[in-house]
Amino acid sequence: MFKIICLQFIDVLGRIARQSISTTLELIFFTTTAIRRGFSFIHKDEHNGVIRNSIVTQIIFSGVDSLIPTLLVMSITVAFSVTAQLIITFQTFGSEKEVINLLIHFVAFELSPLLTAIILICRSGSAVAVDLGNMKINKEIRSLELLGVDVMVYLVFPRLLGISISQTALAVYFSTLSLVLGIFFSVFLESASNFKYFFILIESIAPLELVAFLVKNIFFGLIIGANACFHGLRVQVSVTEVPRETQQAIVHSLVMIFLLNALFIL
Amino acid sequence: MSESENLIVATQAIPETDDIHGLPALNYSLKSTNLICFLGQRFNISNIYMQMLAGLSSPQSGEVEYFNCEKSTQIAKHFPAIAYLSHDSALLSVLNGLENVKLPALYHQLGTKQQIEKQAQALLDELSYGANHKVLPDFMTVVQKRHLLIARAIILEPKLLFIENPFAGLEFAETRMIEDYLYSLVDQKNITVIASNPNLGFVENYADKIILQSSSGFHFFNDWDRFYFHKQRNKLRF
């Protein structure tokens, strides 16, 4: 009996692993195809404004529109509840350098990109998946293909690029605000001498770490955009597929982003 | 292009389908500047043959030759010479009417932004009613959307326009508007229009050629009278 349960468990695990690997490979293929075709289209038609306009629209939707209401509020709360508390708590038993190290590595390079990615997944990733899913059901995508429009170039590529650029820019914005405002809050809550962290902070950021931070965020954006487009386009005929694929896009994006983040730490 | 030039030649061509068996083979030479009506008692079968002729699906047997040379089954290879509007074609919901019409021309770089804007505006001005084309498709009537779909397809200046069930879901007056518009494409723009399952009034008034698909095979008619005689004799209903 125990042996049968164990075998069934292994069987289920194997199936899940096989499915996950095959979906991930499909996703990688999908992403590389969209990027390859997108860049070759742009290269061929440098003056083609259609793709450029789509990318700009996506940046406005994913990036600019979420700057003020969502990210500003989130960065203020992180600045108050995380950055300021870390400064106040850790400076009692750590050196200035250790406090700054903690702020840069934890708040700026880890927490901020992750929170930005989570906001972008909820806000843009889900919207893109629903949007493409509905377009598929309404036969808008098939109609575009009949006009010789490559969906990978016109719909997927601008979303991938737009979300990547937005993720990177928003992560920089979020990190900066949560650090700067956090130091301000620590000044108000504790002592004016905490202003010193501003100057130490600017000097302590290593260029290589900054590059790694930017690269990580570009990949985060690609993961969010690719999952949203991939799952949105997997919708076939029924409206009931839209919420299911959207849910999968969100969950897969979250899992992949946390895994990638762990890889970057290694 | 001369009047008699063959655009598409189907030889013993049977379309590929998963669920319908025993379809008859089609032998037909599709010539330029005609309005051809493709009739059948089962709408979906007429559309399957249209899709094969347009290169959207490959024949399971026989062959289809395009423009006297190419034996390809990919619409992309004949693009933009062949335009196809399926019965469920839809405008892009995130773009307004004018942007929808401009989109394929902008994507394929068929001119400068200003030229395409002018061309799209001219196409919309030809439509026989005054409608606001700067609203999203969801705020448009069925006939307005149908007009825009046709305009979006012909902005690419195709030689052939395949259109499935062009009058489905339209009221009488709306049907007349689309009928006149389709006829104007043949008459003024020299586009060969192949319409599947149109109403018999349209067939009577405008069709240059009629293809009738039945279980026994295909029948071809060059005028309405012969078709009508055949229809009456065989007690066909559409």
Side-chain angles (χ1 to χ4, degrees), chain A residues 10 64 123 187 189 194 201:
Chain A
I10 291 167
V64 181
R123 203 182 167 280
V187 167
L189 290 171
N194 284 346
L201 194 71

Side-chain angles (χ1 to χ4, degrees), chain A residues 31-48 51 55 150 152-154 156-158 160-162 164-165 218 222, chain B residues 107:
Chain A
T31 315
T32 49
T33 307
I35 292 173
R36 186 170 45 81
R37 285 200 215 164
F39 278 117
S40 94
F41 184 86
I42 288 181
H43 183 68
K44 207 168 62 187
D45 283 322
E46 276 178 24
H47 305 292
N48 200 317
I51 307 299
I55 295 170
D150 186 343
M152 289 296 225
V153 173
Y154 181 65
V156 178
F157 178 68
L160 283 179
L161 217 61
S164 279
I165 294 168
I218 289 169
L222 281 179
Chain B
Y107 179 88

Side-chain angles (χ1 to χ4, degrees), chain A residues 48 50 138 140 143 147-148 150, chain B residues 79 89-91 93 107-108 152:
Chain A
N48 200 317
V50 178
N138 294 334
E140 292 171 34
S143 307
L147 292 164
D150 186 343
Chain B
F79 187 83
S89 283
L91 295 165
S93 54
Y107 179 88
H108 293 291
R152 189 174 72 167

